[in-house]
Amino acid sequence: MSFVKEFWEFLKVRKKYWLMPIIIVLLLFGGLIILSQGSAVAPFIYTIF
């Protein structure tokens, strides 16, 4: 959790707010990959792509 807090402070101090959409998209794709690993949701995720 400290990494998230430190990263947020970095974004605020350096005014790098444009990085947030990139981080959010990467987290969403990571969540999709985790969900598709042997779960009942996997066939529905595969039909999206």
Side-chain angles (χ1 to χ4, degrees), residues 16-28:
K16 302 278 186 192
Y17 295 115
W18 57 271
L19 286 173
M20 282 310 291
I22 298 170
I23 300 299
I24 291 171
V25 167
L26 286 174
L27 288 174
L28 286 174

Side-chain angles (χ1 to χ4, degrees), residues 32 35-36 39-49:
L32 276 175
L35 277 177
S36 67
S39 70
V41 184
F44 301 109
I45 293 174
Y46 290 131
T47 58
I48 293 173
F49 299 105

Side-chain angles (χ1 to χ4, degrees), residues 1-3 6-9 12-13 15-17 23 25 27-28 30-31 33-35 39-41 43 45-46:
M1 194 63 180
S2 64
F3 173 75
E6 187 175 333
F7 186 70
W8 178 250
E9 291 297 322
K12 283 186 354 185
V13 170
K15 305 282 194 264
K16 302 278 186 192
Y17 295 115
I23 300 299
V25 167
L27 288 174
L28 286 174
I33 290 171
I34 290 172
L35 277 177
S39 70
V41 184
I45 293 174
Y46 290 131

